[in-house]
Amino acid sequence: MSVQVSPVSATSSKLPFERQQLEDIGFMTCMTLTLLGNYAQTGHFGGPVAYTPFNVVTHLAGPELGGLRYDYRRPKHPYCDKFMLAAGHCAPTCYALWMIMGEALYRKYEATGDRRYYVAPDVAMLPVDALGFRRGAGALKTLLADVGLADHPLFAQTRGRGIRALSGHIESTDVTNDVNGGPSGVGIATAAGKAAFWDMAGAEIGSPKIIAFEGEFAMCEGHAQELKTQAIALQVGKRLRIFFSDNNAGIDDALIGGVINRKFEGYRLIDQWTSYGWNVFSIPDGHDYDQIVGVLKAMEEWDPNDRRPMIVFGKTTKGYWPGAVNGKVGAGDQVVGYASHPYAMKMNSEYFIALAQTFEERYGVEFSGIRQGPVSDPRERLIQFKTNIDVAMSVLDRNGLGEWLADRLVEIGDRVKDNVPLRIDVKRDPFLDERLRVANLPEEPQTLTVKNSVSGAEKQVKIALFRKAGEVAGARRGVSEIVKWLNYVTENRALTLAADLSESVNLFCWLQTRAGRYIKGVRAP
């Protein structure tokens, strides 16, 4: 049975959160990612802006409202919640947000010297890294020097750290992101495994949690079907939470009415998930900050004994723009749908100026040189690029927004625990155990007692790593004995992913998840 979050319950939540600050940072994020595309003349536009409100709320609402628990200063901390932008081509929404976050902390540290706001230069993503969008690390080493800008004060943030290369599709090395989001959204397939891992390790349900973003076209592919089955079979529950950006727009066409003829009324995306047994939520406006906070909070407070994985269908608009009014951006029509997917605007084009003007009018700023046409000189382009990135960042100076953001990031980061109770010993590598050395392997058959760490049940297991000359045994018996010994020594760290074949080839693992599911191998559907 699906669970629907009605428009009424989502919009009338009246939850205590700083909506204005989130909306301002959301607009800054949209504007910054648009500047990336304008000056790089490559990348994507419609998808990244569509994800931006959910991205901002997920990163800044705070864990008590269902947002991420993470530390921007230590984004790869093992006990952070895991964020997955599986829609890899939508990387600009994250790059822009991370730059804004990095700048807020950078400013606060420079102003106060307080180490709580310090982020290591090789960890932070800063406004100057905008120049690295879709450029390789090699080219960036001499980018400024080649045009005589190495010592220009506008690029002072590069000193001692250089410019960070930002690939077109997001990678797992990027700040909070925990997946290599390929162009086909293949990263979403790992979400169930990430959730199951923490269940097997014995972590409390929902902490760490896995939050992943993806859209409808990628969710029609084969890996999405595997995800649906794996997550429900492994009973990962509320630990896994997916945001489905539902805007009926792909790269070259619409899904319904394009790839799928509208006459097939039975083709309903939300039904494809309820039919797999998932816990399905929906919000009518995936850009409304109240609704997003409301559904995140609902998932956070959900019964942990309900072992259905969670997905939120949020109606979004590809090409969304915070300053659009009734489908208009300025005097012209807003570009939406699949036509907005690529960054197809020429540098400083009319539509770009119309977008920028809504930002200028909202915040009382003015971008430099954008009304004088495209910039052909490489040196001047870099100067105008960074100048206008700084114009967007200047909104942090309004109404204490930068102070609020820096403090919020520290507050969220301080909630990440360095020690989390687990069933496994994280202070040693069990695969370095002396009993696994060839010289130490027992030649005689062993009868051992193994214990299920959840139920406490014990079982006698016989292991024979060697056979006498002339004895006959199948190859799978040899594999079975090796895996049994590995799991005895490592306390069930050796897992297999073999459809439903693990048991039939005698792979042994005496493991039980918190959901009460016994896993042999582990058997992944």
Side-chain angles (χ1 to χ4, degrees), residues 227-511:
L227 165 69
K228 292 173 187 174
T229 301
Q230 286 179 348
I232 196 72
L234 293 170
Q235 301 179 46
V236 297
K238 64 186 285 185
R239 194 185 303 279
L240 178 57
R241 308 171 197 184
I242 295 176
F243 175 65
F244 189 115
S245 184
D246 185 10
N247 52 48
N248 196 39
I251 297 175
D252 299 316
D253 206 345
L255 180 61
I256 309 299
V259 175
I260 304 296
N261 195 299
R262 288 191 182 277
K263 69 182 181 180
F264 300 116
E265 296 179 357
Y267 188 92
R268 288 186 291 268
L269 291 170
I270 200 166
D271 291 352
Q272 295 175 19
W273 293 83
T274 57
S275 66
Y276 272 74
W278 280 55
N279 193 353
V280 181
F281 298 75
S282 68
I283 54 176
D285 186 350
H287 305 309
D288 184 280
Y289 286 78
D290 280 310
Q291 293 182 34
I292 296 168
V293 171
V295 77
L296 285 178
K297 179 67 169 172
M299 290 190 291
E300 183 67 19
E301 294 182 339
W302 203 259
D303 182 0
N305 294 314
D306 185 342
R307 303 304 302 201
R308 295 174 297 166
M310 294 175 158
I311 187 168
V312 179
F313 275 71
K315 284 292 183 183
T316 59
T317 298
K318 204 162 196 173
Y320 156 82
W321 190 252
V325 179
N326 297 323
K328 298 284 186 179
V329 176
D333 291 335
Q334 184 180 3
V335 178
V336 297
Y338 66 85
S340 73
H341 176 83
Y343 193 94
M345 296 171 265
K346 298 297 182 183
M347 189 186 305
N348 296 339
S349 65
E350 287 187 15
Y351 192 65
F352 167 77
I353 293 171
L355 295 171
Q357 187 168 329
T358 65
F359 188 86
E360 292 174 324
E361 293 172 351
R362 175 79 61 89
Y363 298 109
V365 299
E366 183 176 353
F367 291 109
S368 174
I370 63 173
R371 293 170 177 84
Q372 278 73 57
V375 186
S376 57
D377 180 75
R379 186 177 190 275
E380 293 305 313
R381 175 191 277 201
L382 292 173
I383 290 174
Q384 188 178 119
F385 190 179
K386 181 56 167 56
T387 297
N388 287 332
I389 286 287
D390 288 347
V391 170
M393 296 294 157
S394 72
V395 175
L396 290 172
D397 297 325
R398 290 172 48 89
N399 301 320
L401 182 62
E403 293 265 340
W404 175 87
L405 178 55
D407 289 340
R408 171 56 62 93
L409 291 170
V410 168
E411 177 190 0
I412 294 173
D414 286 348
R415 296 184 185 183
V416 176
K417 300 176 183 177
D418 289 329
N419 293 293
V420 172
L422 299 173
R423 285 200 297 268
I424 60 177
D425 182 359
V426 299
K427 298 185 183 302
R428 70 179 184 90
D429 184 346
F431 290 96
L432 298 180
D433 193 293
E434 290 294 317
R435 290 172 292 177
L436 295 181
R437 292 185 178 276
V438 173
N440 297 332
L441 296 177
E443 296 183 13
E444 298 300 319
Q446 305 288 306
T447 299
L448 305 166
T449 300
V450 295
K451 184 176 182 179
N452 186 297
S453 57
V454 175
S455 67
E458 294 185 348
K459 181 178 182 179
Q460 296 292 308
V461 176
K462 293 183 178 181
I463 304 175
L465 293 174
F466 295 88
R467 295 278 180 168
K468 297 185 184 303
E471 287 189 35
V472 178
R476 68 175 185 168
R477 174 52 54 193
V479 174
S480 172
E481 300 304 304
I482 292 170
V483 171
K484 281 196 289 186
W485 182 251
L486 268 175
N487 275 324
Y488 171 70
V489 172
T490 66
E491 298 180 343
N492 293 312
R493 302 287 186 90
L495 310 179
T496 62
L497 298 176
D500 63 346
L501 298 176
S502 293
E503 187 172 0
S504 67
V505 294
N506 302 137
L507 301 184
F508 180 85
C509 177
W510 185 240
L511 179 65

Side-chain angles (χ1 to χ4, degrees), residues 72 95 98-99 102-103 123-127 129 161 164 166 175:
Y72 187 97
Y95 294 154
W98 292 330
M99 288 176 197
E103 179 69 1
V123 171
M125 194 172 287
L126 297 172
D129 294 324
R161 70 182 292 278
R164 187 169 182 158
L166 306 179
V175 195

Side-chain angles (χ1 to χ4, degrees), residues 9-290:
S9 64
T11 57
S12 62
S13 58
K14 300 188 184 303
L15 293 169
F17 73 99
E18 295 87 343
R19 175 173 180 149
Q20 188 59 57
Q21 287 90 334
L22 295 182
E23 288 188 343
D24 287 340
I25 292 169
F27 205 162
M28 286 181 68
T29 301
C30 288
M31 190 68 247
T32 300
L33 74 85
T34 305
L35 289 166
L36 297 182
N38 183 58
Y39 292 104
Q41 283 294 283
T42 183
H44 300 85
F45 172 71
V49 290
Y51 280 109
T52 292
F54 213 95
N55 186 29
V56 169
V57 173
T58 299
H59 276 88
L60 295 177
E64 71 282 355
L65 294 179
L68 290 167
R69 177 182 279 105
Y70 68 102
D71 191 343
Y72 187 97
R73 302 159 299 185
R74 304 178 297 165
K76 301 307 179 187
H77 192 289
Y79 301 135
C80 285
D81 288 340
K82 310 306 173 185
F83 171 70
M84 303 172 64
L85 182 65
H89 58 273
C90 292
T93 184
C94 286
Y95 294 154
L97 179 59
W98 292 330
M99 288 176 197
I100 295 164
M101 293 174 169
E103 179 69 1
L105 289 166
Y106 176 83
R107 291 183 181 196
K108 191 68 179 280
Y109 176 68
E110 289 293 307
T112 66
D114 190 333
R115 296 289 295 184
R116 292 182 303 150
Y117 301 100
Y118 176 77
V119 186
D122 62 329
V123 171
M125 194 172 287
L126 297 172
V128 75
D129 294 324
L131 279 60
F133 181 55
R134 290 205 162 206
R135 292 182 189 267
L140 290 172
K141 290 180 180 179
T142 61
L143 179 69
L144 298 178
D146 288 347
V147 291
L149 292 174
D151 297 319
H152 196 291
L154 194 61
F155 308 98
Q157 285 181 337
T158 64
R159 293 169 191 162
R161 70 182 292 278
I163 301 169
R164 187 169 182 158
L166 306 179
S167 67
H169 292 85
I170 206 161
E171 298 180 355
S172 61
T173 54
D174 294 327
V175 195
T176 60
N177 188 54
D178 196 48
V179 65
N180 287 328
S184 298
V186 294
I188 196 70
T190 66
K194 288 180 184 290
F197 165 80
W198 289 104
D199 216 19
M200 296 171 192
E204 179 184 352
I205 184 66
S207 182
K209 60 180 174 285
I210 288 79
I211 297 181
F213 294 177
E214 191 49 280
E216 62 272 276
F217 269 83
M219 288 299 204
C220 294
E221 298 180 24
H223 59 259
Q225 316 317 314
E226 294 183 14
L227 165 69
K228 292 173 187 174
T229 301
Q230 286 179 348
I232 196 72
L234 293 170
Q235 301 179 46
V236 297
K238 64 186 285 185
R239 194 185 303 279
L240 178 57
R241 308 171 197 184
I242 295 176
F243 175 65
F244 189 115
S245 184
D246 185 10
N247 52 48
N248 196 39
I251 297 175
D252 299 316
D253 206 345
L255 180 61
I256 309 299
V259 175
I260 304 296
N261 195 299
R262 288 191 182 277
K263 69 182 181 180
F264 300 116
E265 296 179 357
Y267 188 92
R268 288 186 291 268
L269 291 170
I270 200 166
D271 291 352
Q272 295 175 19
W273 293 83
T274 57
S275 66
Y276 272 74
W278 280 55
N279 193 353
V280 181
F281 298 75
S282 68
I283 54 176
D285 186 350
H287 305 309
D288 184 280
Y289 286 78
D290 280 310

